[in-house]
Amino acid sequence: MDMQPVIDSAERLTRRGEWFVSAQCVRVESPSLEKLRGQWLEFGIPATQVARVLDFQRRWGGLVLPPSVDYEGGPKMLWGDMLAEESKRVGWFEAGIQRVSMAYDFLIGPAGEFGIDTGRWVPLHASIEGWIESVALAHHASTWAQQLSTIRGDAIDDLPPRDFEPVPEVRGLADMWWRGPDSLIAIHTGEAVGFDQPRLRVARVYGGLRGGSQ
């Protein structure tokens, strides 16, 4: 059953982010995890951690986003759940269901970061809202850009140009967006850091954007 997403978070989305969730995403009916509260507490998982997972599921559980260009499309559906080794690794929990078989998981970190775990934790954005804003901005930029260039590996060392400023709403960490006079640049380093492979760094330059389309 598809339902309109409910935007209910401690961090507000931009108007672009809100439109993207409302117009480009669906929310699939998903069961509450509240019934697992007692079981998790019995396993010795801290009450604060249990509350974080339940809150994430209440806010975002069942939200299906269009695929992102990177990270094999990102989570197919946002869904909060405990890690199998949670009793030994307090602070992280699962953020969503993968679209394909992958070498890493999508997690929420101890400070609310959204990132990937390749065996090494790499926070991509400071919050799940930052990830959603990033996917929304990529959708927006690809719609309006007159040119799209992809740059990989060491060639991204010269980015961004001096006249570009960070896009704050994506709350970037390993990944970041930059805005220039008529362009947007997305720089993704999560997989490069996670696998210790600098050649996996990738940047996408969306050029020819009009002022009102940024």
Side-chain angles (χ1 to χ4, degrees):
M1 177 180 180
D2 292 340
M3 302 178 294
Q4 285 298 313
V6 176
I7 301 174
D8 177 15
S9 176
E11 294 188 14
R12 292 186 60 84
L13 295 175
T14 62
R15 285 187 296 177
R16 180 192 301 116
E18 291 179 349
W19 175 86
F20 180 73
V21 169
S22 298
Q24 300 297 321
C25 306
V26 296
R27 189 161 186 170
V28 178
E29 187 174 13
S30 57
S32 169
L33 299 180
E34 185 66 35
K35 61 183 179 181
L36 297 176
R37 180 191 294 270
Q39 180 179 328
W40 284 337
L41 293 174
E42 289 180 4
F43 285 160
I45 299 173
T48 53
Q49 176 74 348
V50 173
R52 289 179 65 219
V53 175
L54 295 179
D55 186 54
F56 180 90
Q57 181 69 5
R58 179 182 64 82
R59 291 173 172 170
W60 301 111
L63 184 65
V64 180
L65 283 74
S68 67
V69 178
D70 297 281
Y71 303 104
E72 299 289 353
K76 180 178 181 180
M77 179 173 65
L78 299 184
W79 185 284
D81 201 359
M82 295 293 181
L83 298 174
E85 69 276 18
E86 185 60 36
S87 60
K88 298 181 180 178
R89 190 180 183 188
V90 175
W92 287 263
F93 61 88
E94 294 183 9
I97 300 170
Q98 299 146 314
R99 296 174 188 271
V100 296
S101 178
M102 300 174 63
Y104 52 81
D105 297 317
F106 298 103
L107 305 181
I108 300 297
E113 316 97 311
F114 172 85
I116 61 173
D117 185 12
T118 65
R120 175 181 182 180
W121 165 239
V122 184
L124 305 179
H125 301 269
S127 66
I128 186 62
E129 290 85 357
W131 167 257
I132 293 171
E133 291 283 1
S134 179
V135 179
L137 190 55
H139 178 273
H140 176 84
S142 63
T143 299
W144 291 97
Q146 301 301 307
Q147 305 93 29
L148 171 60
S149 302
T150 301
I151 302 171
R152 300 182 184 277
D154 293 341
I156 76 170
D157 288 339
D158 295 330
L159 297 175
R162 287 187 178 182
D163 56 348
F164 278 61
E165 298 181 349
V167 178
E169 59 264 28
V170 302
R171 304 167 178 89
L173 296 174
D175 287 3
M176 189 61 196
W177 279 81
W178 299 83
R179 177 179 286 116
D182 65 350
S183 303
L184 286 163
I185 299 176
I187 299 178
H188 304 284
T189 67
E191 290 183 341
V193 174
F195 295 115
D196 195 22
Q197 295 287 337
R199 63 182 178 79
L200 295 178
R201 293 183 297 166
V202 60
R204 291 187 172 78
V205 181
Y206 300 85
L209 293 164
R210 299 176 181 176
S213 300
Q214 294 190 67

